[in-house]
């Protein structure tokens, strides 16, 4: 792909993406959520972990927008800080997964033979075992914490990406410019990083974006079970778990973190769908790939 | 066909072996001392040493792995440290609950998913289609434990239609089935819609209409039947996912299934039970996927003729 063509491919994608109203709305929602997460200490008037038993279980008010929890912590503040956890776990774990997935997928597709057999087998293994169960087992051994969440969700969710990349690379490696590069004495590493990677980038972008929502849901589930973040860190999942005792009397408590999970996950799903359509060369008017 | 089945069986066995190794590594190799972990913070060095001896943890790791694996092959999954009963016995008791939840959630998912998918496809672009699609995005995005809480709140506490905790009779399983099933219903409806639309664009469907067949007949007999092939793979995989994904739902509704057993075992640090339970569920999962693969090949001859091990 020459530089000029590459540019036109991405500008055509961008043009298509901008026309997709649903995707644009999801971008705005996600930018807003990211801003809230980044600016949390500036926006919030309270400390997310500051307990104030005098103010426990207050209904939403001007003072406490989302009310307070069972030990008097401000729920709005905890929701905003929870946003940091969800977004970072989603993004970092999927970056880890996509690096592993790319390296294994490209090796399988490019080298073929025995390497492909072994990696394909691993892909099958990692896509046929119960994900949440192994995440639980892993978190149980590693102990709760943000870094462990990144690692265990990342390590367990690379198989889908690897399978996609493997398939693409198997097609790409027989194309003329790859063959030409080989005849020209180009090493394997050079081909994998310089020629195959740019062609896989659109696919990686889509698989990361669509992987994030499931990572966020897994984090919420793990934190709900007490296997995610360390207490008292605010996470949407752990907040829902804490709120469960009070659903009869304080419905709003579990509502806010639940709605935030849905909004975030929905936005990433719609963004991913929009990106997939926009980056699909078949839908480009000029057929620039 | 037999060749294909043979190949898949070997692959499934290989996958199970690999999963057993991963389970063993996760729970035994990284990091530190299982015995110390099980006994908690107040254990003395003597207690830990004693437990290590009893559990055979002083043997080299490969020996431990093979003796554990050998036990599983013979049907001996070890003994629960806390309840002092064979792991397999505990699993069998709780697994029946999980199967009931999974099957009822599956019925919810398939019935809702297929009917909404067909409805959306036949009303393409209309209000119904848009409504179904928006609902399905919502369904895919909502965490099951939160849906469960909402269902408990509304149908359990407000309307008092169903009990919200426990598992004594059929009525106890209604809310868990919906809590767990909606998410899968959402994804099934999306795939059904896409697949239906693809078939509806084919020439032979136009021919059907041109021959004057009525709409309902064309939709059911010609479109739906052909659209079903990609849907079936998803249906199969979903069943495997449901069997293992019911963990949190069980915990919320306080149903003594495998998921709740495992979560409790993890909290109590009952490593033999966790280890046995994880490998048991994983084996079931692989067997389900394997069966789906074979069924898929029976339905669609293209697969067994062209698809090799991958």
């Amino acid at each position: 792909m020459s530089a000029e063509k590459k540019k036109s491919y991405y500008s055509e994608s961008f043009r298509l993406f901008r026309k997709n109203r649903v995707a644009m709305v999801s971008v705005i929602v996600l930018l807003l959520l990211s801003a809230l997460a980044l600016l949390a200490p500036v926006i919030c008037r309270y400390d997310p972990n500051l307990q104030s038993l005098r103010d426990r279980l207050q209904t939403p008010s001007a003072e406490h927008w989302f009310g307070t929890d069972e030990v008097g912590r401000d729920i709005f503040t905890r929701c905003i800080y929870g946003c940091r956890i969800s977004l970072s776990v989603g993004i970092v774990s999927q970056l880890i997964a996509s690096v592993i997935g790319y390296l294994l997928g490209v090796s399988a597709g490019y080298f073929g033979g025995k390497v492909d057999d072994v990696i394909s087998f691993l892909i099958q293994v990692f896509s046929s075992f119960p994900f949440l169960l192994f995440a639980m087992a892993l978190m149980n051994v590693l102990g709760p914490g943000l870094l462990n969440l990144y690692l265990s969700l990342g390590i367990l969710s690379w198989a889908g990406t690897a399978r996609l990349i493997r398939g693409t690379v198997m097609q790409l490696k027989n194309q003329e410019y790859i063959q030409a590069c080989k005849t020209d004495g180009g090493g394997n590493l050079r081909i994998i990083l310089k020629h195959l990677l740019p062609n896989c980038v659109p696919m990686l972008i889509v698989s990361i974006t669509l992987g994030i929502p499931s990572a966020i849901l897994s984090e919420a589930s793990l934190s709900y079970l007490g296997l995610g973040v360390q207490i008292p860190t605010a996470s949407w999942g752990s907040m829902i778990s804490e709120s469960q005792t009070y659903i009869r009397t304080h419905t709003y408590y579990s509502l806010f973190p639940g709605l935030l999970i849905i909004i975030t996950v929905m936005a990433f799903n719609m963004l991913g769908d929009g990106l997939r359509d926009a980056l699909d060369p078949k839908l480009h008017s000029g057929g620039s790939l | 066909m037999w060749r294909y089945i043979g190949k898949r069986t070997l692959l499934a066995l290989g996958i199970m072996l690999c999963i057993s190794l991963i389970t063993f590594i996760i729970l035994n190799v990284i990091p530190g001392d299982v015995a110390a972990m099980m006994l908690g913070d107040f254990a003395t060095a003597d207690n830990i040493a004693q437990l290590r001896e009893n559990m055979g943890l002083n043997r080299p790791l490969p020996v431990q792995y093979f003796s554990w694996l050998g036990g599983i092959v013979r049907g001996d999954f070890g003994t629960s440290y806390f309840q002092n009963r064979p792991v397999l016995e505990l699993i069998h008791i709780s697994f029946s609950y999980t199967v009931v939840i999974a099957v009822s959630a599956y019925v919810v998912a398939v019935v809702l998913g297929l009917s909404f998918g067909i409805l959306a496809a036949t009303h393409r672009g209309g209000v119904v289609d848009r409504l179904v699609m928006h609902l399905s995005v919502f369904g895919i995005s909502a965490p099951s434990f939160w849906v469960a809480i909402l269902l408990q709140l509304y149908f359990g506490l407000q309307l008092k239609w169903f009990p919200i905790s426990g598992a004594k009779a059929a009525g106890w399983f209604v809310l868990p089935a919906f809590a767990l099933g909606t998410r899968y219903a959402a994804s099934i409806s999306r795939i059904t819609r896409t697949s239906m639309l693809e078939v509806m664009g084919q020439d032979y469907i136009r021919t059907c209409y041109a021959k004057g067949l009525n709409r309902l007949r064309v939709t059911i007999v010609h479109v739906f039947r052909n659209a079903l092939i990609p849907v079936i793979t998803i249906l199969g995989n979903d069943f495997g996912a449901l069997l293992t994904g019911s963990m949190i739902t069980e915990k919320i509704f306080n149903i003594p299934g495998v998921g709740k057993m495992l979560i409790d075992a993890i909290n109590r640090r009952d490593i033999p039970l966790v280890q046995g339970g994880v490998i048991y569920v994983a084996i079931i999962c692989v067997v389900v996927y394997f069966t789906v693969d074979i069924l898929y090949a029976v339905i669609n001859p293209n697969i067994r003729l062209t698809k090799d091990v991958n």
Side-chain angles (χ1 to χ4, degrees):
Chain A
M1 223 189 311
S2 72
E4 195 180 304
K5 272 203 169 167
K6 203 154 79 188
K7 193 176 154 235
S8 71
Y9 166 71
Y10 280 107
S11 59
E12 173 69 10
S13 303
F14 186 59
R15 194 184 64 78
L16 275 176
F17 186 77
R18 263 190 325 191
K19 283 205 299 194
N20 186 337
R21 219 180 298 159
V22 178
M24 286 313 282
V25 171
S26 63
V27 169
I28 294 169
V29 170
L30 289 175
L31 283 177
L32 208 69
L33 284 169
S34 318
L36 284 177
L38 286 174
L39 299 173
V42 185
I43 299 166
C44 300
R45 285 177 292 165
Y46 301 93
D47 180 325
N49 299 324
L50 184 72
Q51 306 190 355
S52 158
L53 290 170
R54 215 159 30 111
D55 305 319
R56 65 193 294 265
L57 292 169
Q58 290 189 357
T59 44
S61 63
E63 197 68 19
H64 297 284
W65 291 354
F66 290 0
T68 58
D69 68 4
E70 72 280 7
V71 288
R73 295 172 295 196
D74 183 53
I75 294 179
F76 176 74
T77 307
R78 287 180 71 74
C79 279
I80 301 296
Y81 277 87
C83 191
R84 290 185 151 189
I85 304 286
S86 288
L87 289 182
S88 74
V89 167
I91 293 167
V92 176
S93 72
Q94 290 314 297
L95 283 177
I96 295 175
S98 67
V99 170
I100 303 176
Y102 176 72
L103 290 178
L104 288 178
V106 93
S107 318
Y110 184 71
F111 296 112
K114 283 270 181 297
V115 180
D116 184 27
D117 288 345
V118 172
I119 293 175
S120 294
F121 178 70
L122 278 179
I123 292 177
Q124 295 244 341
V125 169
F126 273 77
S127 44
S128 58
F129 66 45
F131 176 79
L132 194 62
L133 187 63
F134 275 78
M136 279 166 57
L138 209 53
M139 287 305 290
N140 172 48
V141 176
L142 295 173
L146 208 48
L147 187 66
N148 293 342
L149 274 172
Y150 297 154
L151 283 176
S152 37
L153 294 182
I155 290 171
L156 293 175
S157 56
W158 54 268
T161 312
R163 179 178 291 141
L164 268 176
I165 298 292
R166 171 180 174 270
T168 315
V169 169
M170 276 169 70
Q171 286 173 351
L172 282 176
K173 75 170 175 189
N174 294 324
Q175 289 201 350
E176 280 166 8
Y177 68 96
I178 301 287
Q179 298 298 334
C181 182
K182 254 191 202 165
T183 353
D184 209 28
N188 290 333
L189 196 65
R190 186 190 153 97
I191 293 176
I192 286 178
L193 290 178
K194 196 152 177 247
H195 298 286
L196 293 175
L197 183 59
N199 281 297
C200 292
V201 164
M203 203 176 287
L204 286 172
I205 293 175
V206 174
S207 76
I208 289 175
T209 322
L210 289 175
I212 290 174
S214 25
I216 290 178
L217 284 176
S218 306
E219 184 277 326
S221 306
L222 289 170
S223 295
Y224 175 83
L225 296 173
L227 291 166
V229 292
Q230 214 136 20
I231 357 179
T233 314
S235 148
W236 294 337
S238 62
M239 289 174 75
I240 292 179
S241 154
E242 287 155 11
S243 75
Q244 222 186 330
T245 328
Y246 307 97
I247 49 165
R248 281 169 198 262
T249 44
H250 300 80
T251 318
Y252 60 90
Y253 183 0
S254 67
L255 221 53
F256 293 119
L259 279 177
L260 278 167
I261 295 178
I262 293 192
I263 292 171
T264 315
V265 168
M266 233 160 134
F268 273 113
N269 273 329
M270 294 191 301
L271 175 69
D273 283 346
L275 283 173
R276 183 171 47 198
D277 290 347
L279 291 167
D280 184 354
K282 273 181 274 174
L283 300 177
H284 286 198
S285 48
S288 51
L289 246 188
Chain B
M1 189 67 207
W2 288 112
R3 210 182 125 83
Y4 179 77
I5 293 181
K7 258 183 171 174
R8 299 299 305 184
T9 313
L10 272 181
L11 182 70
L13 286 175
I15 290 176
M16 285 180 200
L17 205 65
C18 204
I19 289 181
S20 76
L21 189 62
I22 294 174
T23 312
F24 184 81
I25 291 174
I26 288 182
L27 290 168
N28 289 276
V29 180
I30 38 171
D33 194 336
V34 177
M37 216 165 94
M38 282 171 59
L39 291 171
D41 297 336
F42 302 106
T44 62
D46 282 350
N47 289 346
I48 295 175
Q50 184 63 42
L51 184 63
R52 288 187 65 83
E53 188 57 47
N54 291 348
M55 288 177 67
L57 294 175
N58 291 327
R59 297 170 297 170
L61 279 173
V63 175
Q64 285 182 46
Y65 171 69
F66 284 110
S67 88
W68 176 64
L69 191 67
I72 289 175
V73 174
R74 290 192 308 272
D76 172 16
F77 281 63
T79 309
S80 160
Y81 173 69
F82 247 82
Q83 311 187 40
N84 210 9
R85 288 165 71 185
V87 169
L88 199 61
E89 191 185 308
L90 292 169
I91 293 175
H92 279 155
I93 297 170
S94 48
F95 197 64
S96 54
Y97 288 98
T98 302
V99 170
V100 175
I101 300 182
V103 170
S104 42
Y106 193 62
V107 172
V108 170
V110 172
V111 171
L112 287 184
L114 289 183
S115 37
F116 277 130
I118 295 173
L119 209 63
T122 46
H123 294 79
R124 184 185 190 176
V127 183
V128 180
D129 184 20
R130 259 180 286 167
L131 194 71
V132 170
M133 282 304 102
H134 285 312
L135 263 180
S136 71
V137 175
F138 187 81
I140 289 174
S141 311
S144 67
F145 53 92
W146 191 70
V147 174
I149 292 176
L150 289 190
L151 289 174
Q152 285 183 330
L153 200 63
Y154 192 67
F155 293 101
L157 296 173
Q158 200 124 24
L159 298 175
K160 298 199 189 315
W161 284 1
F162 303 104
I164 62 166
S165 171
K168 295 195 183 104
W172 262 260
F173 288 99
V174 174
L175 293 185
F178 274 89
L180 185 60
T182 34
R183 190 181 155 74
Y184 296 95
S187 64
I188 291 174
S189 72
R190 291 177 76 86
I191 288 148
T192 309
R193 175 181 177 271
T194 315
S195 174
M196 290 272 292
L197 287 180
E198 207 157 284
V199 177
M200 280 157 100
Q202 303 276 327
D203 286 341
Y204 66 87
I205 298 299
R206 211 180 314 149
T207 313
C208 286
Y209 284 118
K211 273 165 60 184
L213 294 178
N214 78 26
R215 215 183 124 106
L216 189 71
R217 198 185 140 85
V218 175
T219 307
I220 302 294
V221 178
H222 296 278
V223 181
F224 182 64
R225 254 179 47 183
N226 287 301
L228 212 55
I229 292 175
V231 178
I232 284 174
T233 338
I234 303 297
L235 290 183
N237 290 346
D238 276 355
F239 189 67
L242 274 174
L243 267 181
T244 58
S246 69
M247 288 187 289
I248 293 184
T249 312
E250 287 169 12
K251 170 100 176 138
I252 294 176
F253 289 97
N254 207 13
I255 295 170
V258 172
K260 190 168 178 303
M261 180 197 84
L262 278 174
I263 292 168
D264 292 343
I266 284 180
N267 288 334
R268 286 186 192 144
R269 303 181 181 285
D270 190 343
I271 300 297
L273 187 54
V274 176
Q275 198 163 279
V278 168
I279 194 70
Y280 186 89
V281 174
I283 289 175
I284 299 276
C285 218
V286 174
V287 170
V288 171
Y289 289 148
F290 166 75
T291 319
V292 172
D293 252 5
I294 300 291
L295 285 180
Y296 196 43
V298 172
I299 300 168
N300 190 353
N302 273 335
I303 302 285
R304 60 174 181 266
L305 294 178
T306 55
K307 204 170 141 186
D308 62 347
V309 188
N310 294 309

